[in-house]
Amino acid sequence: MFCVSGINTAPPEAGPGGVNEAHQPEIRDRIVKTIYREAEAIAARVVRQTGPHRDWEHKVDDILTSRLLGFPVMFLLLGLVFWITLVGASYPSQLLAKALFWGEERLSEIFVWLDAPSWLHGLVVTGVYRTAAWVVSVMLPPMAIFFPIFALLEDLGYLPRVAFNIDPLFKMAGTQGKQALTMSMGFGCNAAGVMACRIIESPRERLIAILTNNFVPCNGRFPTLIALASIFVGPAAAPGFSSLAASFTVAGLILAGILITLLTSWLLSRTILKGVPTTFTLELPPLRLPQVGRVLVRSVQDRTLFVLARAVTVAAPAGALIWVLANISFEGQSLLARGAGLLEPFGQALGLDGFILLAFILGLPANEIVLPILLMGYLSAGTMVEVDSLTVLQNILVHERGWTWLTALCTMLFSLLHFPCGTTLFTIQRETKSLKWMFWAAAIPLAVACLVCFAVAQTVRALGLV
Amino acid sequence: MKVLPLSELPTGQWGRVVSLKARGMARCRLLDLGLVPDTPVQAVRRSPLGDPTAYRIRGALIALRREEAGQVLVTPFMILPAR
Amino acid sequence: MPLATELRERFNIHPDPGAAVIALAGNPNTGKSTIFNALTGLKQHTGNWPGKTVLQAQGTFHFGGKKYILVDLPGTYSLLANSAEEMIARDFLCFARPDATVVVTDATCLERNLNLALQVMEITGRVIVCVNFIDEARRKNIFIDVDCLARELGVPVVVTAARSGLGLTELKTGIDALVRGQIVTSPRRLIYDPDIEEAVARLEEKIPGEIKEWINARWLALRIIDHDRSTLDNIRQYFEVPEWGVLRERYKYCPT
């Protein structure tokens, strides 16, 4: 019917069935070639290159991806980012806490003046306000520093270089380097990291990236890690190096998270998500000097305030709920304490205690509220203390609750590895359109967290190190 | 004329695409990147662990793993293309 | 035949009689999102492309008393439908028929970017090419003869440095002029090998008039020759035409 000489547009009757397939690449090749030829010809007439092409970015790129320095630079930058965040955030954090707790006192005075019942004061001030205030004062400063620094690295074009450097490791694990990009997004927020997994074309590799994304600590977990590292590692280091030691501890934890990501990915691609790594094509865009002002404004606007707003909206009602649990007693013990009592043996086996485990479970809606829940749990049993600085936190944990460095380590590991928050799980369900994968996304990390904490706690105890 | 897989092109060296070994989707993807016959390609840098390699293809730097780059046959040439 | 607004609604574009729909196409890493953000500011919202887990960003801006809906297409190297992103970009241009399409290109590697621009121009003639990162290009001693480029392509060309806000007013002016019909484009036509051209010419005649009204017949003929099954699938889906003999006939013989 439309047999055109030279081109195979003939119906199959005209020849053997395989003709179409055999000719298809040939035609596609010629079409693409014509388009590129034309582009080449136009560019030749329009573009003029005068002078040398080599520039600073080539030299920087040589360092960033160098055989010798590529990896050290990566780790150093990671450590540096945390160090700046940690050092830069501590003072504003204290200031903010002071201001917010001053506000709490004023709020309490209003309640007294109104002659409000004490349960109302407890619910609103000790529950909602204090939890929200904690979340703001602990999260805002590190976020306001971390996100912009990260956005600057992003704007510079460094992240694709990380994927480029690290791809062989992911290839060994049966996936690919773009997973590193999704992990970088996970530092901000795991839900965002899960969304970012869309850049991975292969469905199998995308699923692995989704299931392992929470092994990079999101912004809701950073404050926990940073606070615990500052309390337990900082003082142990030589004077003057405490914040440096703390930040490299956090960086070390992140390395552990990356290692576990690789191991889990490897395991997944040999069990429930079998397959060989597919293709990997990644453009390394030219390094560009970041537009500092623009980047700062956008990162504060889009990420910092967005994440903070989300955290506060979750933290406020959660604060009320936890207060209720901490203050409704049943047979002389609060519900919170009862729950903790039930979990105590499991907690102990994992190097934690019942309250810590309970805090992680109740913290499912948002990781930011794990530490506030924990404190409320601890404090509901004893005297009420205003936690407005790390020193007070240290007092509660070490002196009142008998935390050792092992407790701190296991809490940090559990925080790093445990199930993702509710929002992330919801996002996973939406992205995979499957409840099954959402379930795995919670179960796998939980299993890993329990396994690692159990192994660490038992080993340390067996060796008599605590 | 010496023909070798793109993955074996030493870094810094330029080559001209001779043909693609890949079939189907993989071939289409390579074509999309601009790897049509006669295209000059430069191996620019290797990842610290030896793979992947970043190639300059029509002005952009694109990283390909050994498996994909091996699907592209090139013939090396010494002089920088006058472009 | 469905109405234009109906087809657009299938791409999540809410009907707005007074507004013009502008597509933003471009390779990855060409600063497309910077331009999108700069043009729309805070007036944007994101979602998914229908049926796909690919991010869709839409925004609006006003210029010269007219409302514009800007749709950010996924960043792709080509429109030959090798990935979900390429298919989305192609389908939007083909079926939603934007009133104008901005192709964002990177001045520091124009040649690679022209590949996409030429492909877009095969689908729609209402194209404006935006040469971004012009500041970077100057720093790298790369000079672009913009007038020559506009002549070669047959469409308006605007030079921008979106990161510092340079050229954005000119871009908006260009879009506005194109939409209002003050600029008439004569997009450069790609000439393929003689045997392909001959086949295209023959096939073009056989494409039903109602489809020709909506889709560039030459482009469609090329896709048929290229055995692009997804385009044909989508034409059936979007136009719900039961009778379009030649295409359906051809479609049967396309390998999967």
Side-chain angles (χ1 to χ4, degrees):
Chain A
M1 191 156 60
F2 13 78
C3 232
V4 182
S5 59
I7 290 245
N8 170 52
T9 54
E13 304 89 69
V19 173
N20 275 340
E21 282 85 350
H23 278 257
Q24 194 193 359
E26 192 237 341
I27 290 176
R28 172 63 64 90
D29 277 27
R30 284 160 61 196
I31 289 178
V32 176
K33 195 169 170 178
T34 303
I35 304 172
Y36 264 115
R37 280 272 163 78
E38 196 83 344
E40 233 172 89
I42 297 172
R45 286 191 282 269
V46 169
V47 183
R48 201 157 42 89
Q49 167 94 50
T50 62
H53 191 79
R54 284 188 82 84
D55 241 324
W56 64 269
E57 60 256 37
H58 291 265
K59 296 195 182 86
V60 176
D61 231 356
D62 285 341
I63 297 169
L64 295 182
T65 61
S66 112
R67 178 168 287 246
L68 226 59
L69 296 173
F71 279 89
V73 166
M74 231 160 65
F75 298 137
L76 218 69
L77 274 174
L78 193 68
L80 194 70
V81 170
F82 295 132
W83 182 72
I84 296 174
T85 308
L86 214 117
V87 172
S90 75
Y91 186 66
S93 235
Q94 281 173 34
L95 218 64
L96 211 57
K98 277 214 179 76
L100 287 169
F101 284 107
W102 179 87
E104 186 186 309
E105 278 167 33
R106 300 293 85 77
L107 208 58
S108 297
E109 280 166 15
I110 295 174
F111 273 81
V112 172
W113 180 72
L114 286 174
D115 215 5
S118 71
W119 66 265
L120 189 66
H121 173 261
L123 191 69
V124 175
V125 179
T126 329
V128 175
Y129 183 88
R130 186 175 286 180
T131 313
W134 166 273
V135 169
V136 171
S137 65
V138 169
M139 281 187 66
L140 182 59
M143 262 185 357
I145 298 171
F146 180 81
F147 276 155
I149 299 181
F150 210 79
L152 286 178
L153 282 178
E154 222 178 324
D155 204 45
L156 174 73
Y158 182 60
L159 300 188
R161 268 83 188 162
V162 173
F164 177 66
N165 286 347
I166 215 168
D167 177 64
L169 298 180
F170 282 101
K171 190 175 158 191
M172 273 190 264
T175 65
Q176 54 145 296
K178 279 187 199 166
Q179 195 172 340
L181 293 180
T182 68
M183 287 160 70
S184 323
M185 287 310 293
F187 279 125
C189 166
N190 290 129
V194 167
M195 295 265 282
C197 292
R198 292 170 172 195
I199 58 166
I200 300 173
E201 292 96 359
S202 142
R204 185 188 72 86
E205 286 160 24
R206 185 185 315 142
L207 209 48
I208 292 179
I210 288 175
L211 294 179
T212 55
N213 191 270
N214 78 303
F215 292 141
V216 291
C218 67
N219 197 76
R221 291 181 277 165
F222 263 123
T224 311
L225 300 182
I226 290 175
L228 294 179
S230 314
I231 292 172
F232 287 88
V233 182
F241 289 96
S242 56
S243 55
L244 207 63
S247 39
F248 276 89
T249 305
V250 177
L253 274 169
I254 284 154
L255 284 189
I258 294 170
L259 204 72
I260 285 170
T261 303
L262 287 167
L263 280 173
T264 313
S265 301
W266 181 83
L267 218 69
L268 283 173
S269 58
R270 261 150 203 81
T271 53
I272 53 175
L273 287 167
K274 268 203 188 87
V276 284
T278 53
T279 56
F280 170 73
T281 335
L282 175 77
E283 183 175 346
L284 303 176
L287 292 171
R288 292 185 168 120
L289 278 183
Q291 299 287 107
V292 180
R294 202 171 281 258
V295 168
L296 294 190
V297 170
R298 269 214 98 75
S299 80
V300 169
Q301 214 173 58
D302 290 0
R303 295 195 196 164
T304 310
L305 294 182
F306 174 77
V307 175
L308 188 73
R310 193 179 71 86
V312 172
T313 38
V314 175
L321 178 73
I322 308 300
W323 184 87
V324 169
L325 289 179
N327 285 277
I328 291 183
S329 300
F330 181 69
E331 291 176 5
Q333 232 187 346
S334 75
L335 290 178
L336 208 59
R338 282 198 159 270
L342 275 175
L343 292 168
E344 187 66 23
F346 300 104
Q348 284 299 333
L350 302 177
L352 313 168
D353 66 27
F355 275 105
I356 304 174
L357 215 48
L358 188 65
F360 277 118
I361 294 169
L362 292 175
L364 180 70
N367 285 302
E368 295 83 357
I369 58 173
V370 168
L371 217 47
I373 294 175
L374 180 61
L375 289 174
M376 219 182 282
Y378 278 168
L379 296 176
S380 69
T383 47
M384 283 306 240
V385 183
E386 279 172 9
V387 187
D388 60 355
S389 74
L390 285 179
T391 344
V392 182
L393 184 59
Q394 184 175 12
N395 265 327
I396 299 170
L397 297 182
V398 180
H399 300 128
E400 289 186 22
R401 285 288 153 175
W403 275 40
T404 61
W405 64 267
L406 179 64
T407 326
L409 179 65
C410 287
T411 308
M412 288 197 280
L413 284 171
F414 201 85
S415 169
L416 177 72
L417 304 173
H418 79 297
F419 46 80
C421 73
T423 314
T424 305
L425 287 173
F426 176 69
T427 309
I428 292 172
Q429 194 273 326
R430 227 181 31 198
E431 291 292 298
T432 60
K433 298 188 179 72
S434 135
L435 282 169
K436 183 184 97 180
W437 290 118
M438 185 183 92
F439 166 77
W440 282 111
I444 294 169
L446 182 62
V448 171
C450 290
L451 217 67
V452 170
C453 286
F454 182 76
V456 168
Q458 299 310 317
T459 314
V460 169
R461 283 180 191 145
L463 294 175
L465 293 175
V466 284
Chain B
M1 194 176 72
K2 201 172 126 198
V3 174
L4 46 88
L6 181 57
S7 50
E8 259 137 65
L9 195 69
T11 46
Q13 177 96 61
W14 283 88
R16 206 179 280 283
V17 176
V18 175
S19 65
L20 303 181
K21 284 201 290 184
R23 287 279 166 268
M25 216 43 165
R27 185 186 186 90
C28 291
R29 240 183 243 127
L30 291 171
L31 286 171
D32 266 7
L33 292 175
L35 289 166
V36 297
D38 291 337
T39 308
V41 185
Q42 185 192 24
V44 179
R45 59 182 89 254
R46 280 192 213 292
S47 164
L49 296 173
D51 189 48
T53 303
Y55 299 95
R56 178 148 320 269
I57 309 169
R58 296 182 184 268
L61 203 56
I62 290 170
L64 297 175
R65 279 181 181 169
R66 195 171 291 131
E67 288 80 354
E68 282 96 67
Q71 299 285 304
V72 182
L73 296 178
V74 296
T75 171
F77 64 92
M78 299 309 277
I79 315 125
L80 290 173
R83 294 198 306 134
Chain C
M1 269 288 149
L3 292 168
T5 47
E6 279 175 35
L7 275 173
R8 284 179 176 174
E9 261 191 287
R10 297 205 198 170
F11 293 92
N12 294 345
I13 310 290
H14 293 297
D16 187 342
V21 174
I22 312 296
L24 198 59
N27 284 27
N29 305 309
T30 49
K32 204 158 61 72
S33 54
T34 315
I35 289 190
F36 180 78
N37 289 332
L39 288 183
T40 59
L42 292 175
K43 284 188 214 123
Q44 45 176 269
H45 68 97
T46 52
N48 276 356
W49 288 93
K52 303 268 170 60
T53 46
V54 176
L55 188 80
Q56 184 193 47
Q58 281 183 44
T60 57
F61 67 90
H62 289 264
F63 189 83
K66 195 168 173 63
K67 185 180 175 187
Y68 289 94
I69 299 171
L70 191 63
V71 183
D72 194 12
L73 301 181
T76 58
Y77 291 116
S78 94
L79 293 177
L80 296 172
N82 296 321
S83 66
E85 285 80 7
E86 289 181 16
M87 251 179 251
I88 288 166
R90 180 203 63 191
D91 286 353
F92 188 81
L93 294 176
C94 178
F95 299 110
R97 291 217 306 190
D99 298 293
T101 301
V102 180
V103 181
V104 183
T105 61
D106 179 346
T108 62
C109 53
L110 194 62
E111 180 193 314
R112 147 176 305 281
N113 289 253
L114 285 179
N115 173 56
L116 181 74
L118 289 169
Q119 288 187 38
V120 171
M121 282 159 48
E122 281 193 309
I123 303 180
T124 167
R126 310 179 81 165
V127 168
I128 178 162
V129 169
C130 163
V131 179
N132 195 22
F133 288 122
I134 197 68
D135 45 347
E136 290 281 318
R138 279 191 195 128
R139 200 175 54 73
K140 289 184 175 175
N141 293 317
I142 298 169
F143 290 90
I144 312 274
D145 186 340
V146 181
D147 295 330
C148 178
L149 182 62
R151 270 200 313 277
E152 290 281 346
L153 294 176
V155 301
V157 175
V158 177
V159 165
T160 59
R163 280 147 61 100
S164 47
L166 202 92
L168 293 172
T169 314
E170 288 80 353
L171 180 59
K172 282 191 260 191
T173 314
I175 294 171
D176 195 54
L178 200 59
V179 169
R180 287 175 199 271
Q182 291 158 351
I183 299 178
V184 179
T185 58
S186 51
R188 182 194 189 95
R189 203 168 101 166
L190 285 161
I191 309 291
Y192 295 91
D193 298 343
D195 54 343
I196 295 183
E197 285 295 333
E198 198 183 319
V200 167
R202 290 188 189 202
L203 249 147
E204 243 185 284
E205 286 172 23
K206 300 217 162 72
I207 293 171
E210 58 203 296
I211 290 178
K212 271 185 189 164
E213 257 173 49
W214 196 265
I215 296 170
N216 185 325
R218 180 183 159 78
W219 176 79
L220 185 55
L222 269 163
R223 297 288 75 76
I224 293 169
I225 290 170
D226 193 21
H227 302 283
D228 178 348
R229 192 196 173 108
S230 62
T231 302
L232 302 177
D233 264 339
N234 287 340
I235 289 179
R236 283 212 311 193
Q237 185 204 323
Y238 285 112
F239 294 117
E240 292 153 7
V241 216
E243 232 6 271
W244 42 301
V246 63
L247 294 183
R248 200 169 48 183
E249 199 87 350
R250 265 308 306 161
Y251 163 76
K252 275 200 299 206
Y253 308 133
C254 278
T256 39

